[in-house]
Amino acid sequence: MTILEPVLIVVVIGFICAGILTIASKVFFVPVDETFTLLREQLPGANCGGCGYAGCDDYANALAADHSLPCNKCTAGGPDVAAALAEVLGVTAEAAEKEVAVVMCNGTHEAAKSLLEYTGMKTCSAAKQFFGGVNQCPYGCIGLGDCVAACEFDAIHICDGVAVVNRDNCVACGACARTCPNKLIRISPAKNIVVVQCHSNAKGAETRKACTNGCIGCGKCEKTCKFDAIHVVDNLAYIDPEKCKNCGMCAKECPTGAILNMRVKKAAPAKAEAPKTEAPKAEAPAAEAPKAESASENAEA
Amino acid sequence: MLIITTIMSMILVNNYVLAQFLGICPFLGVSKKLDSAIGMGIAVVFVMVVATAATWPIQQILNSFNIGYLQTVVFILVIAALVQLIEMMLKKYIPSLHKALGIYLPLITTNCTVLGVCITNIDEGYGYVLSLFNAFGAGLGFLLAMILMAGVRGKLEGNEAGVPVPFRGLPITLITAAILSVSFMGFSGMFQ
């Protein structure tokens, strides 16, 4: 009996509190904007910030307040969520272009010369404090996985010392790009499957010394490109995503293999297979789309 | 006279944040902007007084059943319910304050200053009226600490350049809090 009494008293107090709260929730009821609730239900709830708002709640609020805002901002949900949001708002969805994160480095263990034996805290931002990272190239991937930790979608992993994006899982929220201390990760359209995998602005000889996979700024790609899509600026090749037709000629021409054509697997140095093997599935539909516009593409295939 | 002494002592000498180091979470979390710091402080004053008003009689009930040892459990239960109630009221009548307080209002539920003041009132054997004034003074002390901190941080915000790089952000905030706390030591022994 001694235990029953205190338990009962606490339960009674609990019930009284519950009763008061139930009454209060009726008395102080605040009608919530229905559109907000409906919109919020459609959003994935990842709170990744890919839309540019503070979270799913914030985006739903903004949409509910102003229906003219674009409803395709949710990168995590993609076109499905955009369509669902559009239905709620009664507008037609403009399909957002699918984007993915691209890592601009291929400085694998064998390619990039290491600078020091780093035994400190296993984060890129900490390693960056020592002589600019663990590799000789201060621009390249440090490979300690700050981006992996930032990714909510299991879409980026460190393979052989370099971050590699799994393009199937990537929703282009940009969390990795914001975390990377070397600003190596860029969000770019998924249809562009020829990418420069280097971010070194150092002179060609210096880049070459530090990493055998680096862009030395020789300009061969620039001469090869028929579409005026690739240019060497500050010793680094840059592909204009608008103009690039994914023909892959530059990747073939590149003497160091700094340009990766994700369609022709042999052009890529045989590294980081694990996540890449999944990549072609995503690219297949992307590759079909622009086929009419480039004859050279078919010739190459 | 006793009431004035109690209030002043809670504000200056036994300041919950700066002398007893309770409630550091909202003290560091909401003290970035002066207006939200004042809002939070006022909310805490209010919750403290209401919580004391509710918990003091409950302690008498507990005592009469000889289960005073359930104090902590029951107080947390009651305070949590009270804070929920206050949140609903704020949402209805002062939505701007509700939005400004944001996550920190539900956090008052587990704010140790509120539980602390309720338990102190019982432990010190204060009567009902004195308990209420004690809680009011404790809340005012919290409010004062919040305002001071927000004022200092507001000045710091624009002058980050003068702060050594490794100290920017949270470290300088903690140092500010420490200096504020040390300055409050000067009041010790003022009221007996």
Coordinates of all heavy atoms in Angstrom, one line a residue, chain B residues 64-113:
Chain B
S64 N 1.7 16.5 3.3 CA 0.6 16.0 4.2 C 0.5 14.5 3.9 O 0.0 13.7 4.8 CB -0.7 16.7 3.9 OG -1.1 16.4 2.5
F65 N 0.9 14.0 2.8 CA 0.9 12.5 2.5 C 2.2 11.9 2.9 O 2.4 10.7 2.5 CB 0.5 12.3 1.0 CG -0.9 12.5 0.7 CD1 -1.3 13.6 0.1 CD2 -1.9 11.5 1.0 CE1 -2.7 13.8 -0.2 CE2 -3.2 11.7 0.7 CZ -3.6 12.9 0.1
N66 N 3.1 12.7 3.4 CA 4.5 12.2 3.7 C 5.2 11.7 2.5 O 6.0 10.7 2.6 CB 4.4 11.1 4.8 CG 4.5 11.6 6.1 OD1 5.1 12.7 6.4 ND2 3.9 11.0 7.1
I67 N 5.0 12.3 1.4 CA 5.8 11.9 0.2 C 6.6 13.1 -0.4 O 6.6 13.3 -1.6 CB 4.9 11.2 -0.9 CG1 3.7 12.1 -1.2 CG2 4.5 9.8 -0.5 CD1 2.9 11.6 -2.4
G68 N 7.2 13.8 0.5 CA 8.0 15.0 0.1 C 9.1 14.6 -0.9 O 9.6 15.4 -1.6
Y69 N 9.5 13.4 -0.8 CA 10.6 12.9 -1.7 C 10.3 12.9 -3.2 O 11.1 12.8 -4.0 CB 11.1 11.5 -1.3 CG 10.1 10.5 -1.3 CD1 9.8 9.7 -2.5 CD2 9.3 10.2 -0.2 CE1 8.8 8.8 -2.5 CE2 8.3 9.2 -0.2 CZ 8.1 8.5 -1.4 OH 7.1 7.5 -1.5
L70 N 9.0 13.0 -3.5 CA 8.5 13.0 -4.9 C 8.6 14.5 -5.5 O 8.2 14.7 -6.6 CB 7.1 12.5 -5.0 CG 7.0 11.0 -5.0 CD1 5.5 10.6 -5.0 CD2 7.7 10.3 -6.1
Q71 N 9.1 15.4 -4.7 CA 9.2 16.8 -5.0 C 9.6 17.0 -6.5 O 8.9 17.6 -7.3 CB 10.1 17.5 -4.0 CG 10.2 18.9 -4.1 CD 11.3 19.5 -3.2 OE1 12.4 19.0 -3.3 NE2 11.0 20.4 -2.4
T72 N 10.8 16.5 -6.8 CA 11.4 16.8 -8.1 C 10.6 16.3 -9.2 O 10.3 17.0 -10.2 CB 12.8 16.1 -8.2 OG1 13.5 16.3 -7.0 CG2 13.6 16.6 -9.3
V73 N 10.1 15.1 -9.1 CA 9.3 14.5 -10.2 C 8.0 15.3 -10.4 O 7.7 15.7 -11.5 CB 8.9 13.0 -9.8 CG1 8.0 12.4 -10.9 CG2 10.1 12.2 -9.6
V74 N 7.3 15.6 -9.3 CA 6.0 16.3 -9.4 C 6.2 17.7 -9.9 O 5.5 18.2 -10.8 CB 5.3 16.2 -8.0 CG1 4.1 17.1 -8.1 CG2 4.9 14.8 -7.7
F75 N 7.3 18.3 -9.4 CA 7.5 19.7 -9.8 C 7.8 19.8 -11.3 O 7.3 20.7 -12.0 CB 8.7 20.3 -9.1 CG 8.4 20.8 -7.7 CD1 7.2 20.4 -7.1 CD2 9.2 21.7 -7.0 CE1 6.9 20.8 -5.8 CE2 8.9 22.1 -5.7 CZ 7.7 21.7 -5.1
I76 N 8.6 18.9 -11.8 CA 8.9 18.9 -13.3 C 7.6 18.7 -14.1 O 7.4 19.4 -15.1 CB 10.0 17.8 -13.6 CG1 11.3 18.2 -13.1 CG2 10.0 17.6 -15.1 CD1 12.4 17.2 -13.3
L77 N 6.8 17.7 -13.6 CA 5.5 17.5 -14.3 C 4.7 18.8 -14.3 O 4.2 19.2 -15.4 CB 4.8 16.4 -13.5 CG 3.5 15.9 -14.1 CD1 3.8 15.1 -15.3 CD2 2.8 15.1 -13.0
V78 N 4.6 19.4 -13.2 CA 3.7 20.6 -13.1 C 4.3 21.7 -14.0 O 3.6 22.4 -14.7 CB 3.5 21.0 -11.6 CG1 2.8 22.3 -11.6 CG2 2.8 20.0 -10.9
I79 N 5.6 21.9 -13.8 CA 6.2 23.0 -14.6 C 6.1 22.8 -16.1 O 5.8 23.7 -16.9 CB 7.7 23.2 -14.2 CG1 7.8 23.7 -12.7 CG2 8.4 24.2 -15.1 CD1 9.2 23.6 -12.2
A80 N 6.3 21.5 -16.5 CA 6.2 21.2 -17.9 C 4.8 21.6 -18.4 O 4.6 22.2 -19.5 CB 6.5 19.8 -18.2
A81 N 3.8 21.2 -17.7 CA 2.4 21.5 -18.1 C 2.2 23.0 -18.1 O 1.5 23.5 -19.0 CB 1.4 20.8 -17.1
L82 N 2.7 23.7 -17.1 CA 2.5 25.1 -17.1 C 3.1 25.8 -18.3 O 2.5 26.7 -18.9 CB 3.2 25.7 -15.8 CG 2.4 25.9 -14.6 CD1 3.2 26.3 -13.4 CD2 1.3 26.9 -14.9
V83 N 4.3 25.4 -18.6 CA 5.0 26.0 -19.8 C 4.2 25.8 -21.0 O 4.1 26.7 -21.9 CB 6.5 25.5 -19.9 CG1 7.1 26.0 -21.2 CG2 7.3 26.0 -18.7
Q84 N 3.7 24.5 -21.2 CA 2.9 24.3 -22.4 C 1.7 25.2 -22.4 O 1.4 25.8 -23.5 CB 2.3 22.8 -22.3 CG 3.4 21.8 -22.7 CD 3.8 22.0 -24.1 OE1 3.1 22.1 -25.0 NE2 5.2 22.0 -24.3
L85 N 1.1 25.4 -21.3 CA -0.1 26.3 -21.2 C 0.3 27.7 -21.6 O -0.4 28.4 -22.4 CB -0.6 26.3 -19.7 CG -1.9 27.0 -19.4 CD1 -3.0 26.3 -20.1 CD2 -2.1 27.1 -17.9
I86 N 1.5 28.2 -21.0 CA 1.9 29.5 -21.4 C 2.2 29.6 -22.8 O 1.9 30.6 -23.5 CB 3.1 29.9 -20.5 CG1 2.7 30.0 -19.0 CG2 3.8 31.2 -21.0 CD1 3.8 30.0 -18.1
E87 N 2.8 28.6 -23.4 CA 3.1 28.6 -24.8 C 1.8 28.8 -25.7 O 1.8 29.6 -26.6 CB 3.8 27.3 -25.3 CG 4.5 27.5 -26.6 CD 5.1 26.2 -27.2 OE1 5.0 25.2 -26.5 OE2 5.5 26.3 -28.3
M88 N 0.8 28.1 -25.3 CA -0.5 28.2 -26.0 C -1.0 29.6 -25.9 O -1.5 30.2 -26.9 CB -1.5 27.2 -25.4 CG -1.3 25.8 -25.8 SD -2.5 24.8 -25.0 CE -1.7 23.2 -25.1
M89 N -0.9 30.2 -24.7 CA -1.4 31.5 -24.5 C -0.7 32.5 -25.3 O -1.2 33.4 -25.9 CB -1.4 31.9 -23.0 CG -2.4 31.2 -22.2 SD -2.1 31.2 -20.4 CE -2.4 33.0 -20.1
L90 N 0.7 32.4 -25.3 CA 1.5 33.3 -26.1 C 1.2 33.2 -27.6 O 1.1 34.2 -28.3 CB 3.0 33.0 -25.9 CG 3.6 33.5 -24.6 CD1 5.1 33.2 -24.6 CD2 3.4 35.0 -24.5
K91 N 1.0 31.9 -28.0 CA 0.7 31.7 -29.5 C -0.5 32.4 -29.9 O -0.7 32.9 -31.0 CB 0.6 30.2 -29.7 CG 0.9 29.9 -31.2 CD 0.9 28.4 -31.3 CE 1.2 28.0 -32.8 NZ 1.2 26.5 -33.0
K92 N -1.5 32.4 -28.9 CA -2.8 33.0 -29.2 C -2.7 34.6 -29.1 O -3.2 35.3 -30.0 CB -3.8 32.5 -28.2 CG -5.2 33.2 -28.3 CD -6.1 32.3 -29.1 CE -7.5 32.9 -29.1 NZ -8.4 32.3 -30.1
Y93 N -2.1 35.1 -28.1 CA -2.2 36.5 -27.8 C -1.0 37.3 -28.2 O -1.1 38.5 -28.5 CB -2.6 36.7 -26.3 CG -3.9 36.1 -26.0 CD1 -4.0 35.1 -25.1 CD2 -5.1 36.6 -26.5 CE1 -5.2 34.5 -24.8 CE2 -6.3 36.0 -26.2 CZ -6.4 35.0 -25.4 OH -7.6 34.4 -25.1
I94 N 0.2 36.8 -28.1 CA 1.4 37.5 -28.5 C 2.2 36.7 -29.4 O 3.3 36.2 -29.1 CB 2.3 37.9 -27.2 CG1 1.4 38.2 -26.0 CG2 3.2 39.1 -27.5 CD1 2.2 38.4 -24.8
P95 N 1.7 36.5 -30.7 CA 2.4 35.6 -31.6 C 3.9 36.1 -31.9 O 4.7 35.2 -32.1 CB 1.6 35.7 -32.9 CG 0.4 36.4 -32.6 CD 0.5 37.1 -31.3
S96 N 4.1 37.4 -31.9 CA 5.5 37.8 -32.2 C 6.4 37.4 -31.1 O 7.5 36.9 -31.5 CB 5.5 39.4 -32.3 OG 5.0 39.9 -31.1
L97 N 6.0 37.5 -29.9 CA 6.9 37.0 -28.8 C 7.1 35.5 -28.9 O 8.2 34.9 -28.7 CB 6.3 37.4 -27.4 CG 7.2 37.0 -26.2 CD1 8.5 37.6 -26.3 CD2 6.5 37.3 -24.9
H98 N 6.0 34.8 -29.3 CA 6.0 33.3 -29.4 C 7.1 33.0 -30.5 O 7.8 32.0 -30.3 CB 4.7 32.8 -29.8 CG 4.6 31.3 -30.0 ND1 4.7 30.7 -31.2 CD2 4.5 30.3 -29.1 CE1 4.6 29.4 -31.1 NE2 4.5 29.2 -29.8
K99 N 7.1 33.7 -31.6 CA 8.0 33.4 -32.7 C 9.4 33.8 -32.2 O 10.4 33.1 -32.6 CB 7.6 34.2 -33.9 CG 8.1 33.5 -35.2 CD 7.6 34.2 -36.4 CE 8.2 33.5 -37.6 NZ 8.2 34.3 -38.8
A100 N 9.6 34.9 -31.5 CA 10.9 35.3 -31.1 C 11.5 34.3 -30.1 O 12.7 34.1 -30.2 CB 10.8 36.7 -30.5
L101 N 10.7 33.8 -29.2 CA 11.2 32.9 -28.3 C 11.5 31.5 -28.9 O 12.5 30.8 -28.5 CB 10.3 32.7 -27.1 CG 10.1 33.9 -26.2 CD1 9.0 33.6 -25.2 CD2 11.4 34.2 -25.5
G102 N 10.7 31.2 -29.9 CA 10.9 29.9 -30.7 C 11.1 28.7 -29.8 O 10.3 28.4 -28.9
I103 N 12.2 28.0 -30.0 CA 12.5 26.8 -29.4 C 12.8 27.0 -27.9 O 12.6 26.1 -27.1 CB 13.6 26.0 -30.0 CG1 13.9 24.7 -29.4 CG2 14.9 26.9 -30.0 CD1 12.8 23.7 -29.7
Y104 N 13.1 28.2 -27.5 CA 13.6 28.4 -26.1 C 12.4 28.4 -25.1 O 12.6 28.1 -23.9 CB 14.4 29.7 -26.0 CG 15.7 29.6 -26.7 CD1 15.8 30.1 -28.0 CD2 16.7 28.8 -26.2 CE1 17.0 29.9 -28.7 CE2 17.9 28.7 -26.9 CZ 18.0 29.2 -28.1 OH 19.2 29.0 -28.8
L105 N 11.2 28.7 -25.6 CA 10.1 28.6 -24.7 C 9.8 27.2 -24.2 O 9.8 27.0 -23.0 CB 8.8 29.2 -25.4 CG 7.7 29.4 -24.4 CD1 8.0 30.4 -23.4 CD2 6.5 29.9 -25.2
P106 N 9.7 26.2 -25.1 CA 9.6 24.8 -24.6 C 10.8 24.4 -23.7 O 10.7 23.6 -22.8 CB 9.5 24.0 -25.9 CG 9.1 24.9 -26.9 CD 9.6 26.2 -26.6
L107 N 11.9 25.0 -24.0 CA 13.1 24.7 -23.2 C 13.0 25.2 -21.8 O 13.7 24.6 -20.9 CB 14.4 25.3 -23.9 CG 15.0 24.4 -25.0 CD1 16.2 25.1 -25.5 CD2 15.3 23.0 -24.5
I108 N 12.2 26.2 -21.5 CA 12.0 26.6 -20.2 C 11.5 25.5 -19.3 O 11.8 25.4 -18.1 CB 11.0 27.8 -20.1 CG1 11.5 29.0 -20.9 CG2 10.8 28.3 -18.6 CD1 10.6 30.2 -20.8
T109 N 10.8 24.5 -20.0 CA 10.3 23.3 -19.3 C 11.4 22.7 -18.5 O 11.2 22.3 -17.3 CB 9.8 22.3 -20.3 OG1 9.0 23.0 -21.3 CG2 9.0 21.2 -19.7
T110 N 12.5 22.5 -19.1 CA 13.6 21.8 -18.4 C 14.6 22.8 -17.9 O 15.8 22.5 -17.6 CB 14.3 20.8 -19.3 OG1 14.5 21.5 -20.6 CG2 13.4 19.6 -19.5
N111 N 14.3 24.1 -17.9 CA 15.2 25.1 -17.4 C 15.4 24.9 -15.9 O 14.5 25.0 -15.1 CB 14.6 26.5 -17.7 CG 15.6 27.6 -17.4 OD1 16.5 27.4 -16.6 ND2 15.4 28.7 -18.0
C112 N 16.7 24.8 -15.5 CA 16.9 24.4 -14.1 C 16.7 25.6 -13.2 O 16.5 25.4 -12.0 CB 18.3 23.9 -13.9 SG 19.5 24.9 -14.8
T113 N 16.7 26.9 -13.7 CA 16.4 28.0 -12.8 C 15.0 27.9 -12.3 O 14.8 28.2 -11.1 CB 16.5 29.3 -13.6 OG1 15.8 29.3 -14.8 CG2 18.0 29.7 -13.8

